[in-house]
Amino acid sequence: MKMKKNVYGMVHVRALPGTPLNELSPSQVVDIAVEEAQLLLSEGVDGIIIENMHDVPYMNRVCTPEIVSSMTIIAHEIRKLTTKPCGIQILAGCNKEALAVAHATGLDFIRAEGFVYAHVADEGFMDSCAGELLRYRKSIGAGDVKIYTDIKKKHSSHAITADLSLAEHATAAEFFLTDGLIITGSSTGIPASCNDLKEVRDVSKLPIFVGSGLTTDNLKEYYPYANGFIVGSYLKKDGLWNNEIDVERVRSFINEFRRLNR
């Protein structure tokens, strides 16, 4: 059976309380996130992913209470907008917290980093977490929340696993029971390699997502091999992730996706 293909629009939550770039009140941050989600949904995205992207610099697998509480409120409010698939990522590597938020607010999935194999992220050394994360999911009864995992993720050095191919990373993640695989370029807004996507598609029947660098021009290259397309930076003014959403860019991308999806 043909697997449905979806476009997921990113809601890059403004800097949350206690983070260096925070200038807004908690209620203002929530309101902006909800407005952005409404806009993306009204323009035809198939789902939403919430991420605390503006909380730079991120801490390594440390998520303080004000971040969890803020993301929970945002997720709850966005969940009320739609029955379409919604997910969450809490940076950096706060996968248990994301899972707890998703379970509490009725989201469908989380985006997890550091699922299999260690790597050196810009936050520092990040060990793998699959065993602990899936046991946590089981313990809180969140089995309906899917875990989609980045492999050889962006913003990271993978020298310590240089002897392993991307296909081997994908196979390991599947063996460790991930629900889907995310392929990215080297950093936010940088396109993924189509050859990487093909390599993973050849070894896995799991849903595969392109997680960075999508544009109206390159979407057609990835379309045959991926099930999900996560787009954030391209939908912003001048293609920069920290700018406001550009409605014309959203429409252009969705129109191209619909053309390919006929």
Side-chain angles (χ1 to χ4, degrees):
M1 187 174 79
K2 183 179 178 181
M3 192 176 291
K4 189 175 186 296
K5 294 176 185 278
N6 292 308
V7 170
Y8 298 89
M10 291 296 306
V11 171
H12 293 134
V13 175
R14 302 303 169 90
L16 291 169
T19 62
L21 298 181
N22 172 252
E23 296 178 347
L24 303 174
S25 70
S27 62
Q28 288 174 314
V29 173
V30 173
D31 288 346
I32 292 170
V34 171
E35 288 171 9
E36 290 189 354
Q38 285 177 317
L39 191 159
L40 292 170
L41 290 164
S42 69
E43 293 299 330
V45 300
D46 300 304
I48 296 290
I49 302 180
I50 308 159
E51 181 185 62
N52 58 325
M53 185 76 178
H54 287 266
D55 285 357
V56 289
Y58 315 117
M59 294 189 290
N60 189 349
R61 294 206 189 277
V62 175
C63 192
T64 47
E66 66 276 8
I67 304 301
V68 176
S69 59
S70 297
M71 293 294 276
T72 302
I73 294 170
I74 291 166
H76 175 72
E77 293 302 307
I78 289 177
R79 176 76 286 176
K80 291 194 296 185
L81 298 176
T82 183
T83 58
K84 291 180 176 180
C86 292
I88 189 169
Q89 179 174 22
I90 300 182
L91 302 167
C94 298
N95 302 325
K96 288 174 68 175
E97 290 85 353
L99 188 60
V101 172
H103 182 49
T105 59
L107 301 190
D108 302 281
F109 62 91
I110 70 167
R111 180 174 180 174
E113 53 188 316
F115 189 74
V116 289
Y117 295 115
H119 64 272
V120 181
D122 37 15
E123 301 86 17
F125 182 85
M126 192 174 288
D127 206 348
S128 56
C129 70
E132 181 180 0
L133 184 61
L134 267 67
R135 282 163 175 77
Y136 180 68
R137 181 171 69 171
K138 185 76 170 181
S139 73
I140 65 171
D144 56 340
V145 179
K146 295 187 181 301
I147 298 172
Y148 299 142
T149 58
D150 283 86
I151 52 173
K152 285 204 169 185
K153 72 171 290 287
K154 58 187 177 180
H155 297 286
S156 301
S157 167
H158 299 282
I160 55 178
T161 55
D163 57 329
L164 296 173
S165 68
L166 190 64
E168 287 170 314
H169 274 73
T171 300
E174 185 167 354
F175 179 64
F176 271 14
L177 307 180
T178 187
D179 296 300
L181 303 163
I182 302 173
I183 311 300
T184 67
S186 59
S187 62
T188 298
I190 300 300
S193 162
C194 200
N195 287 334
D196 285 349
L197 198 59
K198 293 175 186 177
E199 180 182 345
V200 173
R201 181 79 286 166
D202 285 344
V203 299
S204 179
K205 290 184 171 59
L206 288 174
I208 296 175
F209 303 81
V210 180
S212 73
L214 285 162
T215 71
T216 54
D217 293 328
N218 66 22
L219 179 60
K220 62 181 177 294
E221 299 173 27
Y222 302 115
Y223 185 84
Y225 309 105
N227 310 103
F229 306 88
I230 302 169
V231 58
S233 298
Y234 181 77
L235 305 183
K236 306 296 184 69
K237 183 179 178 182
D238 300 323
L240 300 175
W241 71 266
N242 51 348
N243 282 344
E244 302 294 326
I245 292 176
D246 183 329
V247 176
E248 291 307 315
R249 279 177 169 261
V250 179
R251 289 174 182 168
S252 172
F253 190 89
I254 295 300
N255 286 340
E256 175 65 4
F257 177 75
R258 287 174 177 162
R259 185 187 71 80
L260 294 168
N261 209 31
R262 287 174 187 159

